Amino acid sequence: MDIFSLKEYVGWFVRVVSSPEGMVEEGIFVGYDGPAYDPEEENDVIMIKHKYGYTCYRAQDIAEFIPIRKATKEEYEA
């Protein structure tokens, strides 16, 4: 998956299905991290914010990325 094509969904509530486990995570897509932004990082990842903190996914670990809706200000700041 080209994670940089997801830029338009930053700040959206999304569902991510991981590969190959098929685990489903929902949260707010907050952006990217990785060597494209920080040369010390090893992999480009997307970051999902949820009530337990943040989860990072490498491009090769994403089976599906499903935008659901724009997150509210309250959700984004929680």
Side-chain angles (χ1 to χ4, degrees):
M1 169 173 282
D2 174 19
I3 62 173
F4 300 105
S5 68
L6 304 175
K7 182 178 181 177
E8 67 185 285
Y9 298 111
V10 170
W12 279 57
F13 193 80
V14 300
R15 180 175 298 129
V16 177
V17 180
S18 65
S19 172
E21 301 88 10
M23 293 178 59
V24 177
E25 180 88 50
E26 291 185 347
I28 299 169
F29 175 38
V30 293
Y32 311 96
D33 196 10
Y37 301 98
D38 181 356
E40 294 183 14
E41 292 292 330
E42 206 169 292
N43 296 299
D44 283 320
V45 296
I46 65 167
M47 294 177 289
I48 305 296
K49 178 182 176 183
H50 46 81
K51 62 182 175 181
Y52 305 109
Y54 292 86
T55 302
C56 294
Y57 291 94
R58 297 179 305 164
Q60 62 267 30
D61 296 335
I62 301 171
E64 289 183 74
F65 180 94
I66 305 160
I68 298 172
R69 61 177 168 77
K70 285 192 175 189
T72 65
K73 182 178 179 182
E74 293 78 21
E75 289 173 324
Y76 199 80
E77 293 175 352

